[in-house]
Amino acid sequence: MKLFYYLIASIAFVLPLSISSAQEAISASGGNAEGTGGSVSFSAGQLFYMTHTGTNGSVSEGVQQPWEISVVTSVREAEGIILAVSAFPNPVTEQLTLRVDRYNPENLHFQLFDVNGRMVKAGIITGQETIIDMAGFTHATYLLRVMDKNKVIKTFRLIKL
């Protein structure tokens, strides 16, 4: 009788595993590359993929998706301002450095938004370099807006790892 219960328990656990599936891809080539700077995995020739778009954004299916790092906007109202603003490192893990050159940072401040448009952090830019602590934030994409009083100067798309 004990053998019968072991047989039923085995079938109950093995059957769902045999009909479940994992992520699959048909690609022409791929592999892993390692060096002193780190490692990367790659695939080439993915045959099928799809992009789903909704009101909150889009999701792309596929084996591997690229990280997109770009400056989102520049505002025409700030054309006369001689300003160099950079945010690094991007992707960020713990601390983000916001650097402002060739501009008086007296009235500058920043706002950090999540992908849902909620402001998660704000602060005053205190000098040429301002450190923004992002250690407590979840892994996601954020928008960093640099403002002079009420004018948007520059917006960055940041990736938190």
Side-chain angles (χ1 to χ4, degrees):
M1 190 68 174
K2 200 174 194 181
L3 181 62
F4 176 72
Y5 287 123
Y6 285 129
L7 182 62
I8 295 297
S10 298
I11 291 172
F13 287 115
V14 172
L15 186 61
L17 294 175
S18 66
I19 59 173
S20 65
S21 63
Q23 182 178 10
E24 295 179 10
I26 301 171
S27 57
S29 171
N32 295 318
E34 294 183 20
T36 58
S39 64
V40 66
S41 62
F42 62 93
S43 62
Q46 180 178 336
L47 299 178
F48 304 104
Y49 71 92
M50 208 170 190
T51 300
H52 304 281
T53 305
T55 57
N56 291 332
S58 64
V59 173
S60 296
E61 295 177 5
V63 180
Q64 296 180 343
Q65 298 296 324
W67 288 104
E68 183 179 316
I69 301 170
S70 61
V71 175
V72 178
T73 62
S74 67
V75 179
R76 291 180 188 250
E77 294 149 5
E79 283 179 355
I81 297 172
I82 300 171
L83 172 70
V85 180
S86 58
F88 58 91
N90 192 7
V92 62
T93 54
E94 293 186 17
Q95 289 186 334
L96 177 75
T97 303
L98 181 64
R99 184 169 176 82
V100 178
D101 290 324
R102 296 179 283 158
Y103 191 74
N104 182 7
E106 186 176 299
N107 296 320
L108 292 180
H109 62 280
F110 70 87
Q111 297 172 331
L112 187 65
F113 296 91
D114 65 8
V115 291
N116 294 324
R118 291 183 299 236
M119 187 186 315
V120 293
K121 190 167 195 153
I124 297 170
I125 298 174
T126 55
Q128 268 194 324
E129 285 192 358
T130 302
I131 304 296
I132 302 170
D133 184 28
M134 295 190 66
F137 291 101
T138 59
H139 303 288
T141 301
Y142 295 90
L143 295 176
L144 177 68
R145 182 185 294 166
V146 178
M147 301 181 68
D148 183 359
K149 295 182 184 174
N150 292 327
K151 290 183 186 177
V152 177
I153 303 297
K154 202 165 197 178
T155 303
F156 296 95
R157 181 181 299 167
L158 302 173
I159 299 168
K160 167 68 168 84
L161 296 178

